[in-house]
């Protein structure tokens, strides 16, 4: 009876495994290969798995493009039209590579041409809107800042590194269709701007403005003005600004000094206008301290100090809507 | 605005194993409600047949971290709690935090340096003239 039971069991197990395999083939093949029993083979296969080149997320198991795009829409809490969003993720390099692949496989001319549209038009619109909106934001928030400063800030915020960093953290690198993997930063920048363009077409300039504000302006937190804006001659710029406001030229005086005869001296140079203090800045040599004092004075004049009021995210700006509609068209 | 850091949850379990019973109950009862309450998380349910590894809930976050949690011999409610816990986390590594405090504004009036309260060279000190 024990022998009979064992034989029965041995007969039953392959049946169950067969049934399991039958039902398993119906579902998506999402399983890894079955774990090997030979210890030496396990080590070799693990090494192969670790040395395999990284693959796109869309080529790994468990991927549903439509569901991912819907999740992206909800994650960003914006209503898009899904067609515009899908076109926003299509890059021209992807279309070229797909057509080349189809031509290589020997299909007809009709089958070769894909029905997909590029995202270049959407990207351009998104870029123009983002630049215009950010420039207006800064003009409203820092009215004293000159045009070159605003341009430098906007260029920094729409630069490749920043936009591709934001895009990576919003999982756009999984959703883009592009030829190379991992997607290069200019492709990510173009895709993100195309997403902004798609949002502009779907929801209008107000919502898009709020979107741009929510994702780009926090990248300025903790950054100093002159890290972003390269100013070669701060003293000259300061003199210009003061003449515009009819204040006399600044007079630099040494306020404090420490360790003059040592290797690491510290000089504090103060800039005085009409014997009233304007700004004070430290430096290693007298020239460096004077330049730093000029920079501190410029920061105070433009209202971009460290202790300024933080950005106001509460109310959406109503007046921008009409101007945006005019400027983007 | 708040962006949920959890990208997708993959539920890998076996349809016949005994320890995946909670996972199967979760799929039958609570998975749809969970997916409806969290529309920005993609939930993949993939049964893997045959005597395979233990049932696992794999969470992928926006910064690329992949976290696997065993759900063997867990009830359906526990799996729901685990899933909501993963959905509310960010993808940062779970390591020891060195200090329980952090501030973005370490100094309000300006950090002290040795020259803060010292009178400068330009002050004139005398019996009647006040320093500036």
């Amino acid at each position: 009876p024990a022998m009979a039971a064992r034989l029965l069991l041995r007969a039953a197990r392959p049946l169950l495994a067969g049934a399991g395999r039958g039902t398993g083939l119906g579902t998506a093949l999402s399983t890894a290969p079955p774990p090997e029993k030979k210890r030496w083979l396990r080590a070799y296969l693990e090494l192969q798995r670790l040395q395999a080149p990284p693959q796109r997320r869309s080529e790994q198991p468990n991927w549903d493009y439509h569901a991912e795009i819907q999740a992206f829409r909800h994650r960003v809490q914006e209503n898009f039209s899904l067609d515009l969003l899908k076109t926003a993720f299509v890059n021209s390099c992807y279309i070229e590579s797909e057509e080349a692949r189809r031509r290589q496989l020997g299909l007809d001319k009709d089958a070769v041409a894909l029905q997909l549209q590029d995202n270049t038009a959407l990207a351009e619109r998104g870029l123009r809107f983002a630049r215009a909106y950010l420039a207006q934001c800064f003009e409203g928030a820092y009215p004293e800042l000159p045009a070159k400063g605003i341009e430098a800030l906007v260029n920094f915020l729409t630069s490749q590194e920043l936009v591709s960093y934001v895009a990576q953290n919003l999982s756009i690198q999984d959703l883009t269709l592009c030829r190379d993997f991992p997607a290069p930063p200019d492709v990510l920048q173009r895709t993100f701007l195309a997403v902004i363009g798609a949002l502009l077409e779907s929801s209008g300039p107000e919502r898009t403005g709020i979107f741009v504000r929510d994702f780009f302006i926090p990248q300025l937190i903790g950054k100093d003005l002159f890290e972003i804006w390269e100013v070669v001659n701060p003293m000259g710029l300061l003199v210009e600004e003061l003449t515009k406001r009819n204040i006399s030229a600044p007079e630099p005086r040494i306020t404090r000094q420490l360790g003059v005869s040592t290797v690491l001296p510290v000089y504090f140079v103060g800039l005085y206008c009409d014997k009233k203090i304007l700004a004070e800045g430290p430096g290693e040599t007298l020239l460096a301290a004077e330049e730093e004092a000029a920079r501190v004075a410029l920061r105070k004049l433009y209202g971009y100090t460290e202790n300024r009021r933080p950005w106001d995210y509460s109310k959406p700006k109503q007046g921008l809507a009409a101007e945006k509609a005019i400027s983007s068209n | 605005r708040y962006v949920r850091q959890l990208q997708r949850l993959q539920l890998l379990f076996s349809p016949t194993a005994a320890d995946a019973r909670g996972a199967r109950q979760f799929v039958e009862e609570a998975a749809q409600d969970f997916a409806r309450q969290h529309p920005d998380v993609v939930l993949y349910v993939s049964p893997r047949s045959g005597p395979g590894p233990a049932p696992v809930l794999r969470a992928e976050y926006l910064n690329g971290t992949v976290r696997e949690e065993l759900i063997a011999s867990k009830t359906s409610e526990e799996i729901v709690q685990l899933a909501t816990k993963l959905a509310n986390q960010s993808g940062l590594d779970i390591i020891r935090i060195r200090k329980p405090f952090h501030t973005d504004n370490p100094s309000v009036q300006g950090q002290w340096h040795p020259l803060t309260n010292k009178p400068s060279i330009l002050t004139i000190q005398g019996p009647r003239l006040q320093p500036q």
Side-chain angles (χ1 to χ4, degrees), chain A residues 24 35 45-46 70 100 111 115 117 120 124 165 173 176 182 216 230 243 245 256 260 270 287 294 304-305 317:
Chain A
L45 289 176
E46 183 69 22
Q70 282 188 329
Q115 308 279 340
Q117 275 182 334
T120 36
E124 255 181 276
Y165 172 73
Q173 87 277 17
T176 42
F216 280 99
E230 290 275 340
T243 43
R245 287 151 224 246
R256 307 158 199 277
V260 174
L287 286 172
Y304 207 93
T305 49
K317 306 191 184 173

Side-chain angles (χ1 to χ4, degrees), chain A residues 20 30-31 57 62-64 68 71 74-78 168-169 171 174 210-211 214 255-256 268 272, chain B residues 1-4 7-8 10 12 39-40 42 44 46-49 60 62 113 115 118-122:
Chain A
S30 55
T31 62
R57 185 66 188 82
N62 277 337
W63 173 262
D64 182 6
E68 293 280 342
H74 284 285
R75 202 177 292 141
V76 175
Q77 291 164 22
E78 293 287 347
Q168 284 247 345
N169 286 52
S171 80
D174 290 335
I210 300 176
F211 180 89
D214 280 343
T255 338
R256 307 158 199 277
F268 272 76
Y272 289 85
Chain B
R1 65 186 65 179
Y2 174 63
V3 172
R4 193 185 291 278
Q7 239 187 334
R8 53 187 83 91
Q10 295 175 26
L12 307 163
D40 41 7
V42 192
Y44 292 100
S46 46
R48 42 187 183 184
S49 59
E60 286 177 40
L62 287 180
H113 51 88
L115 294 170
K118 289 231 164 79
S120 78
I121 298 172
L122 295 177

Side-chain angles (χ1 to χ4, degrees), chain A residues 85-102:
Chain A
L85 194 53
K86 286 194 181 178
T87 30
F89 284 120
V90 174
N91 284 301
S92 48
C93 52
Y94 175 75
I95 293 186
E96 281 160 16
S97 62
E98 277 293 309
E99 287 188 357
R101 206 165 58 112
R102 287 188 187 194

Side-chain angles (χ1 to χ4, degrees), chain A residues 244-287:
Chain A
K244 262 190 247 173
R245 287 151 224 246
N246 289 330
I247 308 177
S248 56
E251 204 186 314
R253 296 285 177 105
I254 303 179
T255 338
R256 307 158 199 277
Q257 53 186 16
L258 280 185
V260 174
S261 51
T262 60
V263 171
L264 296 171
V266 170
Y267 296 98
F268 272 76
V269 164
L271 293 173
Y272 289 85
C273 300
D274 294 331
K275 297 180 192 162
K276 287 210 188 103
I277 184 111
L278 184 61
E280 194 186 19
E284 283 226 350
T285 58
L286 282 166
L287 286 172

Side-chain angles (χ1 to χ4, degrees), chain A residues 87-88 90-91 118-130 186-198 201:
Chain A
T87 30
V90 174
N91 284 301
D118 256 349
N119 63 358
T120 36
L122 284 174
E124 255 181 276
R125 291 199 63 169
L127 181 65
R128 255 184 302 145
F129 176 81
D186 55 321
V187 167
L188 286 175
Q189 180 196 23
R190 214 179 325 137
T191 321
F192 194 49
L193 293 169
V195 166
I196 296 179
E201 306 252 340

Side-chain angles (χ1 to χ4, degrees), chain A residues 102 113 115 134 142 206 236 252 268 279 292 296 326:
Chain A
R102 287 188 187 194
Q115 308 279 340
L134 287 171
Y142 307 114
E206 275 192 17
F268 272 76
E292 186 59 38
V296 171
I326 298 167

